[in-house]
Amino acid sequence: MNVADLEIGEPDDVARRILGGTVTVGDVSVRIVEVEAYGGPLDGPWPDPAAHSFRGPTPRNEVMFGPAGRLYVYLSYGMHLCMNVSCGPDGKAAAVLLRAGEVVAGHDVVESRRAGRGPRSPRVEAGWACGPGNLGRALGVALADNGTELFDASSAVTLQLLDRPLPGTALVSGPRVGVSLAPDRPWRFWIRGSSAVSSYKRSPRADAAGGSEA
């Protein structure tokens, strides 16, 4: 599967399509088990006040405006590097936030990056890439990776999708985590039964009036 899978369909459809895919950075590979879809500006096909792109393109969010299949990396709370995949037609902002994953290769590397979480065990391993900040740390991504073409085999960060989408019965959906605008849009998706899926936390600012979620 390739970038064409991300160029068509609604952002929530693309989010489901990414589930089960594998992100690889160097010796580390992570199977994606949780994602969130985000749209774009008010005049676009998927208005989304919770999206970084809602107010239009900026140097920070320009990757969200395409082309599809590029990595959008941003710094959250001054400490967490979060990974997104641009999707939709070129020029129309949309992206899928990678929220959590299961480490499938490079366990020793990830363990060294996640030192202090206790002796290795199934429970500890499940938390290595649970949550978008932990996922970015486990994979070792950097702000310099922003804009990477994920379907180019020579890229430092690559994404391999499943040959076929997971069946609907394997997936669960619900509201996005921590956003204060459009808080009940059910654009968070995860693989049923995965122990690496993060817990839901509603923003205390949910439903407050204002601009985009930054």
Side-chain angles (χ1 to χ4, degrees):
M1 295 295 102
N2 55 42
V3 68
D5 290 271
L6 309 186
E7 294 174 338
I8 58 175
E10 305 292 308
D12 54 324
D13 291 333
V14 174
R16 295 184 190 93
R17 186 67 186 86
I18 289 174
L19 282 172
T22 302
V23 177
T24 299
V25 184
D27 294 329
V28 178
S29 294
V30 173
R31 176 180 178 249
I32 301 302
V33 300
E34 182 187 1
V35 295
E36 284 178 343
Y38 287 89
L42 192 61
D43 60 355
W46 309 291
D48 187 355
H52 288 182
S53 55
F54 185 64
R55 295 183 183 274
T58 68
R60 180 198 191 201
N61 68 25
E62 61 183 353
V63 175
M64 289 187 72
F65 288 81
R70 293 195 177 183
L71 181 67
Y72 169 42
V73 182
Y74 69 87
L75 188 64
S76 176
Y77 298 106
M79 66 179 97
H80 303 300
L81 289 174
C82 299
M83 306 171 64
N84 302 255
V85 180
S86 63
C87 61
D90 194 10
K92 306 296 183 183
V96 175
L97 171 67
L98 307 182
R99 280 203 54 87
E102 299 167 348
V103 178
V104 295
H107 292 76
D108 290 342
V109 175
V110 177
E111 184 176 30
S112 68
R113 290 171 177 165
R114 305 293 286 130
R117 296 187 60 85
R120 189 188 296 187
S121 66
R123 182 186 63 80
V124 169
E125 288 190 23
W128 278 349
C130 176
N134 290 334
L135 175 61
R137 187 176 299 110
L139 284 164
V141 295
L143 284 174
D145 294 317
N146 188 54
T148 297
E149 296 184 11
L150 292 167
F151 291 91
D152 183 339
S154 66
S155 291
V157 186
T158 60
L159 171 62
Q160 177 66 48
L161 300 180
L162 296 175
D163 289 337
R164 290 188 177 88
L166 292 170
T169 54
L171 309 182
V172 188
S173 67
R176 295 176 293 192
V177 175
V179 297
S180 60
L181 299 163
D184 297 313
R185 186 175 296 187
W187 274 13
R188 173 179 171 238
F189 304 93
W190 62 96
I191 296 177
R192 189 185 302 275
S194 172
S195 58
V197 173
S198 65
S199 59
Y200 173 70
K201 294 180 181 178
R202 186 178 178 87
S203 169
R205 298 180 292 119
D207 306 312
S212 65
E213 185 77 7

